[in-house]
């Protein structure tokens, strides 16, 4: 197994600022927009973006929720180990709001398909967008594309992208890991 660094802490920080600015351009005051971090790893990115928007760009009252998609996945019954669900925390109205799904890596698109199904339990959004830190563009199984992307990565199937967050992993970095 070998690993190569794709993004350093400084590069991740630059990308986070760019993504925050792109969100501001599209949503301005966020009064009709909600951010939804997809559990488990999308929550770190969502929290970082909310923090930047509020503290650096002085946008107040940003709604942030967390969506667990475990039992909405089409492969959840295909594993021999018991699944552990994460917590869904959406304590605001989704009906007729603009929803921005936030996840760390877009790979096959199956997680996003699951999120599209899961969010319907909370109402019918007027619009749904997708923001990802890493877009693995050649690995898609479904016709799903991000509206906002931090970096596009060309990784083959034996490679995986690992996103590390300071809060959980002790560093901000993104690695390409070859499992061969």
């Amino acid at each position: 197994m070998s690993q190569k660094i794709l993004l350093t802490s400084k590069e991740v920080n630059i990308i986070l600022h760019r993504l925050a600015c792109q969100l501001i351009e599209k949503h301005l005051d966020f009064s009709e927009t909600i951010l939804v971090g997809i559990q488990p790893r999308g929550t770190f990115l969502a929290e970082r973006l909310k923090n930047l928007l509020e503290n650096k760009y002085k946008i107040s009252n940003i709604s942030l929720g967390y969506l667990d998609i475990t039992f909405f996945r089409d492969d959840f019954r295909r594993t021999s180990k018991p699944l552990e669900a994460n917590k869904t925390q959406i304590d605001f109205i989704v009906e007729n709001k603009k929803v921005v799904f936030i996840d760390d890596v877009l790979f096959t698109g199956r997680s996003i398909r699951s999120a599209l199904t899961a969010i319907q339990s909370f109402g019918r959004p007027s619009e749904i967008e997708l923001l990802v830190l890493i877009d693995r563009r050649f690995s898609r199984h479904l016709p799903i594309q991000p509206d906002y992307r931090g970096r596009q990565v060309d990784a083959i199937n034996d490679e995986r992208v690992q996103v590390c967050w300071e809060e959980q992993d002790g560093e901000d970095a993104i690695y390409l890991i070859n499992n061969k």
Side-chain angles (χ1 to χ4, degrees):
M1 182 171 88
S2 64
Q3 74 179 24
K4 173 179 129 181
I5 191 155
L6 291 176
L7 296 172
T8 64
S9 176
K10 182 177 181 180
E11 292 166 320
V12 169
N13 192 42
I14 291 168
I15 288 172
L16 291 176
H17 280 270
R18 178 173 45 82
L19 290 170
C21 288
Q22 288 174 344
L23 286 171
I24 293 168
E25 286 176 18
K26 178 80 185 268
H27 298 278
L28 300 175
D29 66 358
F30 288 77
S31 60
E32 295 298 314
T33 303
I34 58 176
L35 306 180
V36 176
I38 297 176
Q39 289 277 23
R41 309 277 308 171
T43 59
F44 297 106
L45 177 56
E47 288 170 2
R48 288 282 189 92
L49 286 169
K50 181 180 190 252
N51 186 32
L52 270 176
L53 290 167
E54 288 178 340
N55 297 322
K56 175 74 175 169
Y57 299 104
K58 305 302 181 210
I59 297 172
S60 58
N61 301 321
I62 295 175
S63 297
L64 171 61
Y66 308 115
L67 183 63
D68 178 51
I69 60 168
T70 303
F71 298 110
F72 292 91
R73 293 184 59 89
D74 59 4
D75 61 354
F76 88 92
R77 295 189 195 275
R78 295 179 180 209
T79 180
S80 59
K81 65 179 185 171
L83 293 175
E84 282 189 40
N86 294 288
K87 185 177 181 182
T88 290
Q89 182 182 332
I90 297 180
D91 53 0
F92 41 78
I93 302 297
V94 171
E95 191 74 26
N96 293 321
K97 297 288 186 179
K98 295 175 183 175
V99 172
V100 180
F101 283 147
I102 299 174
D103 207 0
D104 61 347
V105 178
L106 175 59
F107 183 29
T108 63
R110 292 183 185 280
S111 293
I112 303 308
R113 190 218 43 88
S114 302
L116 289 166
T117 303
I119 198 69
Q120 298 299 315
S121 302
F122 298 92
R124 183 178 179 190
S126 64
E127 182 179 319
I128 298 176
E129 296 178 328
L130 175 59
L131 180 148
V132 297
L133 186 59
I134 301 294
D135 175 13
R136 288 186 57 164
R137 66 180 176 159
F138 294 134
S139 305
R140 215 75 79 238
H141 294 177
L142 300 170
I144 292 175
Q145 300 300 321
D147 298 284
Y148 313 92
R149 75 172 53 90
R151 177 71 54 95
Q152 208 165 42
V153 174
D154 299 335
I156 57 176
N157 289 335
D158 291 334
E159 296 173 323
R160 84 183 155 86
V161 175
Q162 181 179 350
V163 178
C164 298
W165 295 107
E166 178 73 37
E167 299 90 309
Q168 183 176 26
D169 307 303
E171 69 172 335
D172 286 339
I174 301 173
Y175 297 95
L176 183 66
I177 298 173
N178 191 330
N179 291 322
K180 280 188 173 181

